[in-house]
Amino acid sequence: MRVLVTGGAGFIGSHVVTALLADGHEPVVLDALSATAHAVAPPRPDAEFLHADVRDRAAVDRALRGVDAVCHQAAMVGLGKDFADAPAYVDCNDHGTAVLLAAMAGAGVRDLVLAGSMVVYGEGRYDCPRHGRVALGPRLTADLEAGRFEPRCPRCGAESVPGLVDEDTPADPRNVYAATKLAQEHLAASWARATGGRAVSLRYHNVYGPGMPRDTPYAGVASFFRSALARGEAPRVFEDGRQRRDFVHVRDIADANCLAVQGISQLEPGTFRARNAGSGTPRTIGEMASALADASGGPAPIVTGEYRLGDVRHITADSTRLREEFGWRPQVAFAAGVAEFAHAPQRGVPAA
């Protein structure tokens, strides 16, 4: 199968290309090599490569020639620096996706696997001991300033217990990046209905592993910790370090993409599905920082009590549907993955 991988030179995209090659497919890479992810040029992918932006319709038309399916990884990621980044996020993530989908409609390419994100959920699932399932709004600045990080029941004020969210949970994006990822899904669903296409959004959890970028505000928390340790500094852990996340290895995410590309033909035309992609084993952010410090022999993490508006407290999800429908099984255990990541090369992004 000939598969276009947008963003195929990036952190996750490059692993997707490797996995597709290993499965006997023919990946085609389209990547703009943007400075936010590639201030130092990465190695060229071991596949057909087109250096172009997904917002360039003519380039996308060329890249789609002879393609059977698209694996759309190109995006700006992370919270960024501040709200001034909002136009860039919307332009890259949503305008770029719209251009790609319009080109796919014109080229008759009808299968799409989208790099989604668990950030579309906002806060995860919570249960109050007295009132059962509760929907929580954004945390108050006053609570964060006072070190009251745990969300509480809006009815009685009791501390709520976090749980796993499934794909039926209503979306509640809490920052610009999350809003753009949800918009990508809406665009993909509209495209599928209009063209008879089939689309699957893999809602990634906190992906980590070899090749994460270094020293950039657009990377994930695991990369921040790894970059600090590479500089000989202690990782700085925000809040109290007890925030729950699902850290999933990048090779497992690449395998999920391959299985989705191969299995999407079982869906009815005009179908859009979102599927959670996580390891299934929640960890705290503090655990990740400590595990990386131990594995690298670096200084112990410092819990700072700082916070970022737009961050959620806990978000972990149930990936049962992805496992059942596409036969995906994460293979990289947390301890082994962190031990590898602690010593693996990072993408060289120079400090500003």
Side-chain angles (χ1 to χ4, degrees), residues 24-282:
H25 299 294
E26 182 185 355
V28 178
V29 174
L30 183 144
D31 201 302
L33 303 180
S34 64
T36 55
H38 302 288
V40 173
R44 285 296 177 98
D46 189 18
E48 185 177 334
F49 178 73
L50 179 61
H51 182 190
D53 196 298
V54 73
R55 293 165 289 190
D56 181 343
R57 174 62 186 268
V60 175
D61 285 340
R62 292 195 301 273
L64 284 170
R65 291 172 186 164
V67 161
D68 302 297
V70 173
C71 195
H72 183 31
Q73 307 293 318
M76 281 185 69
V77 301
L79 279 182
K81 298 175 183 177
D82 53 42
F83 201 83
D85 282 331
Y89 273 99
V90 173
D91 187 35
C92 181
N93 296 357
D94 298 335
H95 178 208
T97 298
V99 171
L100 172 66
L101 293 172
M104 290 176 66
V109 180
R110 295 293 182 260
D111 290 340
L112 171 71
V113 177
L114 172 67
S117 175
M118 53 78 188
V119 296
V120 301
Y121 295 118
E123 287 287 353
R125 169 185 169 176
Y126 290 86
D127 293 285
C128 170
R130 289 181 58 193
H131 297 109
R133 183 76 60 86
V134 290
L136 304 178
R139 293 180 292 171
L140 301 177
T141 301
D143 286 337
L144 297 172
E145 288 283 358
R148 295 188 293 267
F149 301 122
E150 289 294 342
R152 295 184 174 273
C153 174
R155 297 177 62 184
C156 69
E159 189 170 302
S160 302
V161 179
L164 301 180
V165 296
D166 62 23
E167 293 88 349
D168 297 326
T169 302
D172 185 18
R174 300 289 177 87
N175 55 59
V176 171
Y177 171 62
T180 66
K181 297 307 289 183
L182 184 59
Q184 283 184 313
E185 292 191 349
H186 290 320
L187 288 166
S190 297
W191 165 84
R193 287 191 297 269
T195 66
R198 296 170 290 211
V200 173
S201 177
L202 300 177
R203 289 176 172 172
Y204 301 163
H205 280 255
N206 288 67
V207 186
Y208 75 98
M212 288 192 85
R214 176 176 174 174
D215 297 332
T216 167
Y218 301 95
V221 66
S223 180
F224 295 163
F225 297 156
R226 175 73 174 79
S227 295
L229 290 163
R231 298 190 300 268
E233 301 171 3
R236 295 177 62 83
V237 180
F238 281 16
E239 301 186 19
D240 57 5
R242 297 175 185 167
Q243 309 94 302
R244 286 160 53 102
R245 298 291 188 270
D246 185 331
F247 293 100
V248 58
H249 197 277
V250 65
R251 286 197 298 272
D252 285 329
I253 289 296
D255 289 343
N257 277 273
C258 285
L259 289 169
V261 165
Q262 293 161 186
I264 198 171
S265 61
Q266 68 184 305
L267 303 182
E268 290 292 325
T271 296
F272 169 83
R273 288 185 182 171
R275 292 294 178 254
N276 295 328
S279 73
T281 305

Side-chain angles (χ1 to χ4, degrees), residues 164-167 205 246 274-280 317-330:
L164 301 180
V165 296
D166 62 23
E167 293 88 349
H205 280 255
D246 185 331
R275 292 294 178 254
N276 295 328
S279 73
D318 183 348
S319 302
T320 300
R321 292 178 184 175
L322 180 61
R323 299 181 188 214
E324 290 179 346
E325 292 173 5
F326 295 108
W328 179 61
R329 296 289 183 275

